[in-house]
Amino acid sequence: MNDIRKIDVSQITEKIRQMCIDANYSLSNDMVDALTNSQKTEASPLGKKVLDQLKLNLDIASEDMIPICQDTGMAVVFIEIGQDVHLTGGNLEDAINEGVRDGYTKGYLRKSVVNDPIIRENTKDNTPAIIHTKIVDGDKIHITLAPKGFGSENMSKIFMLKPADGIEGVKNAILSAVKDAGPNACPPMVVGVGIGGTFEKCALLAKEALTREVNKRSNIDYVRELEEEMLEKINKSGIGPAGLGGTTSALAVNINTYPTHIAGLPVAVNICCHVNRHISAVI
């Protein structure tokens, strides 16, 4: 039997606090590389100029320690807890929300969360976070934080397809969602797709897909081919950087799949803007 490792939840709070600040001030290396590469390949002079401005914005934000975007998002937290970990010192969700509260307050990040979808009174500290918890093997805690802005979140869609719609139906759903998003998702976008599961599972798959590095393709052959085909077709759509036309409408299409029911083919398309923020840490 493995020894149980005790971890005080204050460590989670501190980690989340710093991750909120770091994710909003600097993009991950995979996103920076993708934007830099797109500057070299963009065919439209106007599109290239927009990409140059986006890259300059990233540089200024990182150097001056200010947010990349004024919409510093709603904090989405994926936390995987090893089953050989015993959490002490308090409640897990409270610890995560305290970290978000500290990070957004001390990092001078915009507070965008309201306490009720209809009453809409601002919580003034960007809590509560959206928390997805998973129990895994081992004695470590893996945390991924993805602040999600709503310009792109509002452009996301779920399609409850029929099995007979097949792969062509999936392709049409992805392209339809991207076309409808157009310039509103602040392109070049990253397109997260979830296929399978249930209504809520495919949405979670799509959200998780956005946290995968944009230079890493699926290890499933048909999924990898679908990612490449969709990226090519989206970049031929003409949407372009900032929706002003060009050959860089998306930086990546990341697709996750999951088993589903014999009667269903759920597909979720979770779109993110060029500020696809994601950061990970291990305790």
Side-chain angles (χ1 to χ4, degrees):
M1 180 180 293
N2 294 334
D3 292 333
I4 297 298
R5 180 185 175 208
K6 293 184 178 181
I7 297 178
D8 194 287
V9 294
S10 63
Q11 294 186 52
I12 296 174
T13 295
E14 176 58 27
K15 191 69 72 174
I16 293 285
R17 182 192 71 80
Q18 192 59 46
M19 291 170 76
C20 287
I21 296 171
D22 291 345
N24 276 294
Y25 287 180
S26 302
L27 270 192
S28 55
N29 290 335
D30 63 303
M31 284 299 300
V32 174
D33 290 344
L35 274 171
T36 301
N37 290 335
S38 71
Q39 290 175 281
K40 303 172 185 175
T41 59
E42 173 57 51
S44 163
L46 180 56
K48 188 180 289 291
K49 185 175 182 179
V50 171
L51 290 170
D52 290 345
Q53 291 175 334
L54 295 180
K55 182 60 168 57
L56 177 60
N57 176 66
L58 289 182
D59 294 340
I60 292 172
S62 182
E63 291 170 9
D64 293 352
M65 296 296 286
I66 56 176
I68 304 165
C69 175
Q70 53 87 19
D71 184 353
T72 52
M74 191 169 190
V76 179
V77 178
F78 297 93
I79 183 163
E80 297 184 350
I81 303 171
Q83 61 185 8
D84 296 322
V85 169
H86 173 54
L87 295 173
T88 63
N91 177 272
L92 173 63
E93 290 198 5
D94 288 347
I96 292 172
N97 281 317
E98 185 62 26
V100 171
R101 181 178 296 109
D102 287 351
Y104 274 77
T105 301
K106 295 175 182 176
Y108 300 99
L109 306 174
R110 195 182 80 181
K111 289 79 175 175
S112 302
V113 176
V114 295
N115 65 357
D116 183 280
I118 301 301
I119 298 172
R120 307 194 75 80
E121 181 182 350
N122 199 296
T123 64
K124 298 181 174 62
D125 59 13
N126 223 59
T127 66
I130 304 299
I131 303 170
H132 302 288
T133 307
K134 186 184 294 184
I135 303 299
V136 298
D137 292 337
D139 64 353
K140 293 181 173 57
I141 296 176
H142 294 256
I143 304 171
T144 296
L145 173 79
K148 189 66 164 66
F150 263 63
S152 58
E153 186 76 353
N154 285 338
M155 297 296 105
S156 303
K157 293 188 176 184
I158 287 182
F159 303 82
M160 300 304 290
L161 303 180
K162 303 179 185 68
D165 292 327
I167 192 74
E168 291 305 316
V170 172
K171 293 176 184 179
N172 290 336
I174 296 170
L175 295 176
S176 170
V178 171
K179 180 180 178 181
D180 288 348
N184 296 318
C186 296
M189 60 192 86
V190 177
V191 183
V193 180
I195 306 172
T198 54
F199 176 82
E200 81 280 7
K201 180 64 175 181
C202 70
L204 181 56
L205 292 169
K207 180 74 72 181
E208 287 178 309
L210 290 175
T211 67
R212 189 207 310 165
E213 292 186 5
V214 295
N215 53 9
K216 291 185 178 179
R217 302 270 57 85
S218 172
N219 56 11
I220 302 172
D221 289 343
Y222 89 86
V223 177
R224 181 173 60 253
E225 292 169 3
L226 182 59
E227 289 174 338
E228 293 169 352
E229 179 183 348
M230 290 296 93
L231 180 60
E232 181 180 358
K233 287 186 175 180
I234 290 169
N235 282 334
K236 287 181 178 178
S237 68
I239 296 170
L244 297 176
T247 55
T248 312
S249 299
L251 299 173
V253 177
N254 289 354
I255 301 175
N256 287 340
T257 61
Y258 195 83
T260 192
H261 191 278
I262 56 172
L265 180 55
V267 178
V269 182
N270 193 205
I271 297 175
C272 195
C273 62
H274 66 277
V275 183
N276 180 35
R277 293 161 290 197
H278 52 87
I279 186 171
S280 297
V282 178
I283 297 176

